[in-house]
Amino acid sequence: PRPPPSPQRLQRPSMRKTEDSTDAVGPAAFKRHASRLKLGDPMTIAVANSMVFGQSEHGEKGSLRMHVHGCLEHHLVEFFLGMTIIFNAVFIGLETDFAAMYIGQSPPLIFSVSNGVFTLVFTVELLLRLYTQRSQAVTPEHLPWNMLDGMIV
């Protein structure tokens, strides 16, 4: 067995000098670096992203898409979206309770505004996910969730 590579050798694939610069990302890069890849390692993530998005995060092609993907996967964004789902459920319950208690009265403006805001947030999130996933959006892994999200929104 070989000793573990030094930190200098674990550079991101796009930063690494190779004989063939067109081979810096993609499946060939994954095969070349496979012996050194570990789950959760930044290099593994960069190579996996290059396979999904077509270029590394430092490359010209796909960098905006990768940045948006990184933002959507950030724990604070996921927390925000989770809290938005909870608040939406609470507002739906309050609106239903109001409709049951005050039959025939129009609901307060806050319910209409909140419905619009929640719909906007969920629509933007869905469109951004579809933008970042592109052709991956219709794979068996993502398609059921994307269809469910689309029907709910």
Side-chain angles (χ1 to χ4, degrees), residues 23-43:
D23 196 30
V25 294
F30 186 82
K31 288 178 185 174
R32 188 173 60 249
H33 299 292
S35 64
R36 290 181 260 157
L37 300 179
K38 294 180 183 168
L39 213 50
D41 180 61
M43 186 173 139

Side-chain angles (χ1 to χ4, degrees), residues 61-152:
K61 182 180 176 187
S63 60
L64 175 62
R65 192 164 27 126
M66 289 180 62
H67 180 71
V68 171
H69 175 75
C71 289
L72 286 174
E73 298 298 319
H74 193 274
H75 68 278
L76 291 177
V77 173
E78 289 182 348
F79 177 77
F80 169 76
L81 291 171
M83 293 305 295
T84 304
I85 291 169
I86 291 170
F87 285 133
N88 187 28
V90 168
F91 269 83
I92 289 172
L94 291 173
E95 186 174 8
T96 303
D97 186 53
F98 179 87
M101 291 178 70
Y102 302 99
I103 298 172
Q105 289 187 357
S106 60
L109 183 62
I110 186 72
F111 293 128
S112 297
V113 171
S114 67
N115 284 335
V117 169
F118 290 131
T119 301
L120 179 67
V121 168
F122 296 139
T123 302
V124 168
E125 187 257 346
L126 178 62
L127 291 174
L128 289 174
R129 287 209 184 273
L130 292 175
Y131 169 70
T132 60
Q133 293 174 354
R134 292 202 180 177
S135 64
Q136 297 289 321
V138 294
T139 61
E141 177 186 356
H142 296 290
L143 184 62
W145 290 110
N146 289 336
M147 288 179 63
L148 179 66
D149 281 348
M151 286 188 286
I152 291 173

